[in-house]
Amino acid sequence: MQKKWIWLLGLLVLFTPELAFAAETEASLAAQLGWMTLIPPALAIVLAFITKNVVVSLFIGVYAGTIIVSMAGGENILLALVSGFTGFVQLALNSLADPWNAGIILQVLTIGGLIGLITKMGGARAVAESLTKYAKGPVSTQVITWVMGLLVFFDDYANSLIVGPIMRPVSDKMRISRERLAFVVDATAAPVAGIALVSTWVGYEIGLINDAYASIGQDVNAYGVFLDTIPYRFYNILMLFFVLVTSVSLREFGTMYHAQIRSRDEGKVIADDSQPMVDNDADEEPHAEGTIWNALVPIGALIVFSLSGFYTNGRDALLGSGDARLVGLVENAPFSFETIREAFGASDASIVLFQAALVASLIALVMGVAQKIFTVADGIDYWINGMKSLLITGAILLLAWSLSGVMTQLGTADYMVSLLSGSMPPLLLPTVIFLFGAVISFATGTSYGTMGILMPLAIPLAAALEPGNAEFVVMSAGAVLTGAIFGDHSSPISDTTILSSMGAGSNHIDHVRTQLPYAIAVASVSIVFGYIPSALGLNVWISLLVGLLAIVALVWILGKKVDPTEKIKQL
């Protein structure tokens, strides 16, 4: 099988010059290359599923992209192989040099160190034992995980990195597969942050809405439009409801059903041939019994300093923006809801979360030393060992960002958007926008990039197809925002999906493989019972209610009940 893929890659590389670069043209690279701009993400995604080695798959995808870029510049195959490798190195360096990306890497590693300290202090075990009093079965365990995901609404990264590690020991005890835990964590990360009234997403989404309306000469209350789009975020809302329904009913289907059966019958929360994202060596026995406060205080500090950091960092950004309205807002009403919302949206979440994780780590270190659980030197060693367990996560994120970089060079997203050209029946526009958002975000692994590409197209197009129909424009804007969430939630190269696998301790490809059927099922319900009826004129709240009922019917028709604790009860 692997030889066939090597031959296929070789043929693509060898024949690309004649197919794509025979004639010089002033057209954009996306127009020049056409479908070949899809080769890097397609290779990465397909190979990841076949080989189950996401690092190798991402490397091949990035390297294939840099080779194509080199050949587009007129180089022959031999020179392209060399310059393609140097291009890969440059992409990796540029990705790591980006302040946002560097902040995410530091945040991930630091939270890994924090988890290592909490584990050594017995905090993780104490939390697990405490939650066991309430999480007495698989239903309550998953519902508690779902509720925690809703509570950590302010940022999808923080959600994935906090909820997974806390619930993992309890979930394992209930024989809930790591794939299922990763799904619950992932489904309450981006889908929640994307519609939260205050989050690290809001500012970006509002900015896109405001600019798109400005392009058609309309001055609107962008936040008001954002609120109006929430009922049209069918995928976000229905996915959250889907998680709750499947958790309460214990009904599963597709590949998730088989994962749950394996965990129930064999007691294996991870498949034998799968490598979890988190090194099992990090889950060493604690040095002390510890109390629940050994976990709650550091994690509480992480949350408190994150929230305060979002405000202070964003406030400084607003004061330095030069926007008189925003500066006046901060100075005259520093703690109003509007100020807090604007500050959260303007903050640099990656830096804030790194700073908060570092402070929380210092607090955990002081607590451990004060309780004589370990010395300062030993505590630092435990912190570094905790970081080591997440090095693979950092490597995958770096490669995913490099893949995004080479796709930007190739114009992959531009090519995909160009397929939207031509006449479009108004009835189908919201559905088509949602589908393109889903496909682009899945292929590129970025929701922000997808929103930035489609929003400037969707709002003018909707306004042109349905003049005077403000609700139709809002519906189309909602389709952009929720379609972009699909890829952020389900793509194997999405950073949120990667972090959810890490937080839950699941194998990354196993997480994607079991989650994807659920994501596609909910997306289908969103179209059939959401966007199409709403575009026909059905009230959005009725469409949403019908969609919720359709989710219940879907779970009961396709799903089969799997009680993970059934074997435990028989022992």
Side-chain angles (χ1 to χ4, degrees):
M1 180 64 73
Q2 291 181 347
K3 289 183 178 180
K4 292 181 179 179
W5 280 102
I6 293 173
W7 277 106
L8 177 60
L9 178 60
L11 288 173
L12 285 172
V13 171
L14 286 172
F15 287 104
T16 294
E18 288 78 16
L19 291 172
F21 315 123
E24 293 186 4
T25 175
E26 294 182 357
S28 68
L29 199 55
Q32 182 184 1
L33 294 172
W35 64 268
M36 277 180 283
T37 63
L38 302 176
I39 290 176
L43 270 178
I45 292 170
V46 172
L47 287 177
F49 279 104
I50 292 175
T51 66
K52 290 190 175 183
N53 191 319
V54 70
V55 172
V56 172
S57 301
L58 283 170
F59 170 76
I60 291 176
V62 177
Y63 188 33
T66 55
I67 290 174
I68 293 173
V69 169
S70 297
M71 296 173 73
E75 295 184 359
N76 60 43
I77 180 61
L78 294 178
L79 288 175
L81 287 172
V82 176
S83 59
F85 181 78
T86 58
F88 164 79
V89 173
Q90 190 60 51
L91 279 170
L93 290 172
N94 291 342
S95 298
L96 194 56
D98 182 271
W100 173 273
N101 294 347
I104 295 299
I105 293 288
L106 291 172
Q107 168 208 150
V108 167
L109 295 178
T110 306
I111 289 181
L114 174 63
I115 294 170
L117 287 175
I118 291 173
T119 300
K120 279 298 179 182
M121 292 193 298
R125 174 179 288 179
V127 168
E129 292 175 351
S130 177
L131 286 174
T132 302
K133 299 175 184 178
Y134 305 97
K136 297 181 179 180
V139 172
S140 54
T141 298
Q142 293 183 86
V143 171
I144 288 174
T145 307
W146 181 78
V147 171
M148 289 181 65
L150 297 182
L151 292 176
V152 189
F153 60 86
F154 51 87
D155 185 73
D156 52 333
Y157 293 155
N159 187 309
S160 300
L161 293 170
I162 291 173
V163 178
I166 290 177
M167 294 305 300
R168 194 192 314 152
V170 186
S171 179
D172 286 353
K173 186 175 181 179
M174 297 299 167
R175 287 196 178 186
I176 297 171
S177 66
R178 293 282 180 85
E179 294 95 326
R180 174 68 192 183
L181 176 62
F183 166 66
V184 177
V185 171
D186 205 352
T188 55
V192 171
I195 59 176
L197 301 184
V198 175
S199 75
T200 54
W201 289 54
V202 172
Y204 181 71
E205 292 174 313
I206 291 175
L208 291 176
I209 291 171
N210 184 71
D211 292 344
Y213 271 96
S215 70
I216 57 175
Q218 294 188 23
D219 183 16
V220 298
N221 181 338
Y223 188 68
V225 175
F226 167 81
L227 294 178
D228 291 338
T229 66
I230 290 179
Y232 293 105
R233 311 281 195 94
F234 293 111
Y235 181 81
N236 299 51
I237 297 170
L238 295 181
M239 176 54 73
L240 292 172
F241 186 66
F242 179 86
V243 175
L244 182 61
V245 171
T246 53
S247 297
V248 172
S249 66
L250 296 178
R251 301 179 79 88
E252 311 282 359
F253 59 86
T255 45
M256 187 69 78
Y257 172 79
H258 299 293
Q260 288 288 79
I261 288 291
R262 179 205 70 228
S263 186
R264 182 195 69 182
D265 294 348
E266 302 176 31
K268 298 176 180 177
V269 294
I270 303 174
D272 287 332
D273 59 345
S274 296
Q275 178 65 35
M277 285 285 286
V278 177
D279 188 350
N280 289 328
D281 292 338
D283 297 326
E284 299 174 15
E285 288 295 315
H287 274 197
E289 285 298 321
T291 68
I292 189 173
W293 299 108
N294 285 352
L296 292 185
V297 171
I299 292 174
L302 175 64
I303 295 174
V304 169
F305 281 103
S306 294
L307 292 173
S308 61
F310 290 142
Y311 174 77
T312 56
N313 182 275
R315 181 198 60 193
D316 293 342
L318 295 178
L319 290 173
S321 65
D323 188 316
R325 185 188 71 84
L326 293 177
V327 172
L329 182 66
V330 173
E331 292 177 343
N332 299 324
F335 299 107
S336 67
F337 176 79
E338 185 178 2
T339 301
I340 293 173
R341 170 177 55 78
E342 293 286 356
F344 270 52
S347 66
D348 188 331
S350 66
I351 300 301
V352 170
L353 287 171
F354 165 57
Q355 293 171 339
L358 190 58
V359 172
S361 295
L362 291 173
I363 290 173
L365 180 63
V366 171
M367 289 179 65
V369 173
Q371 297 175 46
K372 298 182 179 180
I373 297 174
F374 45 67
T375 64
V376 173
D378 288 339
I380 293 174
D381 287 340
Y382 299 143
W383 185 68
I384 292 175
N385 285 333
M387 296 176 69
K388 288 179 181 177
S389 67
L390 299 187
L391 285 176
I392 184 65
T393 304
I396 293 173
L397 285 171
L398 187 60
L399 286 168
W401 292 326
S402 299
L403 181 62
S404 177
V406 78
M407 286 190 292
T408 299
Q409 294 179 12
L410 291 170
T412 302
D414 293 335
Y415 169 72
M416 297 180 72
V417 170
S418 69
L419 299 178
L420 275 170
S421 59
S423 60
M424 177 65 60
L427 168 64
L428 296 179
L429 181 63
T431 297
V432 170
I433 289 174
F434 173 79
L435 288 174
F436 267 83
V439 172
I440 293 172
S441 57
F442 185 86
T444 61
T446 170
S447 55
Y448 277 27
T450 302
M451 293 175 187
I453 291 167
L454 287 183
M455 190 66 77
L457 297 174
I459 287 180
L461 187 57
L465 291 178
E466 288 284 320
N469 189 343
E471 198 68 19
F472 185 75
V473 180
V474 170
M475 184 193 314
S476 300
V480 172
L481 299 175
T482 195
I485 293 291
F486 174 91
D488 194 278
H489 172 228
S490 58
S491 173
I493 59 176
S494 163
D495 44 10
T496 307
T497 309
I498 294 167
L499 294 178
S500 296
S501 298
M502 184 279 293
S506 170
N507 174 271
H508 182 53
I509 298 303
D510 287 348
H511 165 45
V512 175
R513 183 174 52 83
T514 51
Q515 177 171 264
L516 193 55
Y518 285 177
I520 293 174
V522 174
S524 301
V525 172
S526 299
I527 292 171
V528 175
F529 298 97
Y531 287 112
I532 291 178
S534 295
L536 286 171
L538 185 67
N539 182 276
V540 62
W541 296 106
I542 296 177
S543 297
L544 194 55
L545 177 60
V546 173
L548 296 174
L549 295 175
I551 289 293
V552 175
L554 176 73
V555 172
W556 250 261
I557 292 172
L558 297 182
K560 298 178 183 178
K561 187 170 183 178
V562 184
D563 185 348
T565 59
E566 185 177 320
K567 291 293 181 181
I568 299 177
K569 297 173 183 176
Q570 295 174 359
L571 297 177

